[in-house]
Every structure is written in structure tokens, then in C-alpha cells.
Amino acid sequence: MKNIPLYIDNQHYQGSGQSFKNYNPATGEAIHQVSGTSPDDFEKAIESAKRGFKVWSAMSPTERGRILHKASQILRERNDELARLETLDAGKPIREALEVDVISGADCLEYYAGIAASLHGDHIQLGGDFAYTRREPLGICAGIGAWNYPIQIACWKAAPALACGNVMIFKPAELTPLTALKLGEIFTEAGLPDGVFNVIQGDAVVGQMMTGHPDIAKVSITGEVGTGKAVMAASATTLKKVTLELGGKSPIIVFDDADLDEAVFGAMLGNFYTQGEICSNGTRVFVHESVKKAFMEKLIQHTKALKVGDPSDPDTQVGALISKDHFEKVMQYISLGQEQGAELACGGKQVEVKGCEGGYFVEPTIFVAPEDNLRIVEEEIFGPVMTVLTFKEEEEVLQRANNTPFGLAAGVFTKDLRKAHRMVAGLEAGMCWINTFNINPVEIPFGGYKQSGIGRENGLAAIEHYTQIKTVYVAMDKMVNPF
Ligand code: NDP
């Protein structure tokens, strides 16, 4: 079985921590042995990052941008190979990985490469005296990834961090260790100095090494709400800055004047893409009671036509869930929905896929829930499980949509412009879509309200989270004795 090492100082590095196996979700087979990170290995990564920071932060922003841009080009050139690796590791359909995962990572590197040289402080005139601000990097940033979009998450964290002159130690999720290592190799090929992007491997214990280390200035994590809270609490001991990209239970609201085809496609995109393993998914679909019947007919017809299958088959539209544990969790929620009185309108069963007998496949599943207080309506399932609810009034649906501790995303389908903007103004969510869903180009800030997160990734907003402002007051007159 091939070994997956750590990546420190631009080189493969055999960690001395507990090694672990990496599985193909489509077959359940172990495919790699992954090096674990011991506390000594982690110290090595920190020392390397300190050296890297000295070099990288002293380089001109234009030079930094050039290297990030080169890395984005290599990602695009190797899209096919990297997409196949992501599909092998994460179980997602190859048609998605080829179109989205690597390319959105490359887009992010290209975007921040382009703005690196434009980052600057301000000049503030104070009569004769003046002040200026320096926009400085934070230092060593820790990136901790989730398993659903491994290379995209690594790029979304590394690109703004590095563009601002920081260095990063990145830990992918234990379940998806492969493409972060490739990203490290690509950065090396692009000319990144040693120690600027180190990759360590391991589970939550390794994550805790990062959140507990005094030399780490900032932690950016993508994960569950509970993990985000643990990371924030641990980071507080040394008052690290945090960016938390956490879970959700986002609403999609379909008004009676909506284009029902668009609304159906939006709901499907927001529930079944990547087998439903997307944080911003609109898993509570509120449909106006007058169009519910027509909406359900179209929704069920299109959902039944989805092809669940071998993720490496280009025709497959719904791939394998990430692991046995996760598969069991999703199946338990499907049972729970039925026990608590939701109507199973479509799907709900495990799928046997020829040639992928040990894989974790679930039919795209649609429930119609009689009320909002069922667990499948309240809790994040992170699988291909949609719940449809009905409403009558605009105010009522707004209140119900906001009645959740999460606040990651929301979608509104209507042809009434004023209603659409009125709704998004009232929705408690960091990312809102009108007449579409789950479209996240890197130019726009992404992140959660309420317990779905702190900080923003992408867009110019992320710069605020990877820099600190130093103010310099300059006296132009002679200082006099103040006493
Ligand atoms: P987890 O919260 O289980 O893990 C996220 C990462 O944190 C993993 O690398 C994990 O390690 C690590 N980790 C776990 N505990 C700790 C800890 N105490 N200290 C430091 N690191 C820790 O999330 P999943 O990987 O299961 O991903 C699914 C979740 O991610 C869902 O809730 C989803 O909504 C959310 N998500 C949010 C997104 C957003 O942008 N808002 C985007 C994508 C997903 P390991 O797993 O290796 O043990």
C-alpha cells in the first residue's frame, strides 16, 4: 500500500506519529497508509514555518503573487489527475471533481495572486503630524480542513493567507489526506520558499496540537459547529485569531410566483450535489402551499432520474458517502424521519452499486415534514436528505426559516424583485441566493451568521482575517515636556 507522507520544508517527510489507513469511499477498501504527526514532527513544521515566514514576508507582494499565480496554472494543467485523486479519496462523482474542486481552488489562488500587490495601508493627515497604517501578516496560520472539498478547502485557506505574507501549516481531514500533499508539491514546483506551506496529517489530536501551540497566530477551520467551538476555546488560551467555517441547516424558500423548474433545480443542487455533503445545503425547503403539489411532482420526477453510482464513472451524478460511520449516521436520520412522522416521498434506501460492493451509497431522499420540530428538520445530516415543508405567508416563512441556531446560507425563489430583496434582508444567513443556490465564486465573501461561523473566506473580506493593522504616528514638531 502506498505511503502518504507529511510535507515539511518543501519535501516529503515521514512522520513518527501513529500512522493510519486511508479508504476509498466507493469500495470501502484501504488504499493508502498515511504518516501520522508526532509532537516532535509538529515542532519541526513550526520551526520550518518560522524560517519560511522570514523569507516570505520579506518578499515583494508582486513576487508572492507571481508564485501563487504559477501554482494556479499548475493546478489547472493537472486538473484531470487531481480530480481523479479527489474522487478516489472523497467518493464524489468525477464529473463534479473535474468541473469544480480543483478549478475552484485554482480560481482562488489566481484571485489572491492578483490582489497581493494591491494590498496596502493608509495615510492619515493630522494637521502637521500624520499617521500611516501598515497592513502586516499575522505569522504562522493553521489551516484545518473538512473532508467534503479537500483541495478546494486547502486552497481557500492557503491563498489569502499566503497572499497577505503569512505562512500556513495545513492539516487535511484524516479521511481525505491525499490532495493537500499534492498542493504542497505544486507550491514547491511554483517556487514557494521552504516552510511557507507545510502539510501535516492526522486526526483531532493533531488539530489540537495546532490550536494549542503558542507560535500559531491564527486558526482557520472548516468543520462542524461543535468542532468550531472546541477550536475557538483552545485558541483562546493564547488568544489566536479564528476563522470558523461551520455547518448549517439552510432554508430554501419557494414562493407561489417562482419559476418552479428553477426552484426544483435549485433545491436539487442544494441537496444532492456531492451526495449532499455540502455545508451550505438548503436542506429545509419551504414551499408555498399553493404550488406544493406541482413542485413535488417535478422534484420527485427529476430526483428519481439521478444516477447513483461508481464515482469514477463519468455518468454518475451521486457518489459515495465518505465513510461507514457517516453512512450509518445518514441512514439513522432517514429512519428517524419516518419514526417522527415525516412522509418519505422519494428514496431512503441504500444503493448497491455493481463493482463498488463495499461502498456507501444512499438514494437521494426527500421527506415531507408535517412540522418544523422534527430532528431531520433541525439537525445537520450532511447527506442526500432533503426535507420539504409548506407555508402560507411571507412573514411566517421568514420567522420559521430563521428559527435555527445555524445561519450559513439561504435561498429565495420568486419573480417578485421587491419580495426577494425584502426576504434576504430579513434572513439571518451569511450567504443568500436569489433564484439560484450554492453558487460560490471566489470573488464573493463566504461565511456564516450565528453558530455557522466567524469570519469570511474569499473576496476582499478574507484579507481582513489574514492581516493585522499597525498604526504609526509620526510627530513633525519637537516634543515638549507634558508635565
Ligand atoms: P469535523 O468538525 O469533524 O472536522 C473538521 C476538521 O477538524 C478535521 O480536520 C478534524 O480532524 C479536525 N478536528 C476535529 N476536532 C478537532 C479539535 N478539537 N481541534 C482541532 N481540530 C479538530 O468536520 P467534518 O470533517 O466531519 O466535516 C463536516 C462538517 O464540516 C459539517 O458540519 C459541515 O457543515 C462542515 N463544513 C462547513 C463548511 C463551511 O464552509 N462553512 C464547508 C464544508 C463543511 P479529523 O476529522 O481528521 O479527525
Side-chain angles (χ1 to χ4, degrees), residues 106-136:
D107 285 351
C108 190
L109 282 163
E110 199 171 341
Y111 175 78
Y112 288 105
I115 58 177
S118 307
L119 301 174
H120 56 73
D122 292 320
H123 175 270
I124 302 139
Q125 196 63 47
L126 302 164
D129 292 355
F130 66 93
Y132 63 93
T133 59
R134 293 166 54 93
R135 187 174 278 282
E136 296 188 344

Side-chain angles (χ1 to χ4, degrees), residues 144-148 153 171-175 202-204 207-208 211 221-224 227 230-231 245-248 279 380 382 408 446 452:
I144 304 180
W147 43 256
N148 60 339
I153 291 173
K171 185 194 90 64
E174 189 189 6
L175 293 170
D203 60 7
Q208 285 161 356
T211 54
I221 181 166
T222 299
E224 289 176 1
T227 308
V231 162
E245 287 295 346
L246 309 178
C279 53
E380 185 182 44
F382 219 57
L408 189 52
F446 181 81
S452 286

Side-chain angles (χ1 to χ4, degrees), residues 20 143-149 152-153 156-157 171-176 201-211 219 221-232 234 244-249 277-281 322 326 329 380 382 406 408 446-448 452-453 457:
F20 56 95
I144 304 180
W147 43 256
N148 60 339
Y149 275 82
Q152 184 197 72
I153 291 173
W156 283 20
K157 295 192 188 307
K171 185 194 90 64
E174 189 189 6
L175 293 170
T176 50
Q201 303 280 4
D203 60 7
V205 175
V206 178
Q208 285 161 356
M209 290 179 200
M210 303 170 101
T211 54
V219 180
I221 181 166
T222 299
E224 289 176 1
V225 171
T227 308
K229 289 177 184 172
V231 162
M232 193 171 178
L244 308 176
E245 287 295 346
L246 309 178
K249 192 76 195 176
E277 296 167 333
I278 296 186
C279 53
S280 50
N281 269 357
I322 188 72
H326 189 56
K329 176 183 148 184
E380 185 182 44
F382 219 57
F406 299 111
L408 189 52
F446 181 81
S452 286
E457 291 194 312

Side-chain angles (χ1 to χ4, degrees), residues 381-452:
I381 301 173
F382 219 57
V385 185
M386 177 195 308
T387 305
V388 176
L389 302 130
T390 47
F391 73 94
K392 284 192 182 122
E393 305 293 340
E394 186 181 317
E395 265 186 39
E396 167 216 339
V397 75
L398 182 62
Q399 184 276 324
R400 288 168 65 196
N402 286 337
N403 188 20
T404 166
F406 299 111
L408 189 52
V412 179
F413 284 85
T414 173
K415 291 192 191 115
D416 180 337
L417 270 178
R418 287 189 179 133
K419 183 157 61 183
H421 293 292
R422 197 162 59 230
M423 283 299 290
V424 293
L427 282 162
E428 296 164 359
M431 181 71 234
C432 295
W433 291 278
I434 296 174
N435 292 332
T436 187
F437 205 79
N438 265 355
I439 308 295
N440 291 304
V442 296
E443 294 88 345
I444 61 176
F446 181 81
Y449 274 24
K450 302 199 278 189
Q451 292 189 31
S452 286

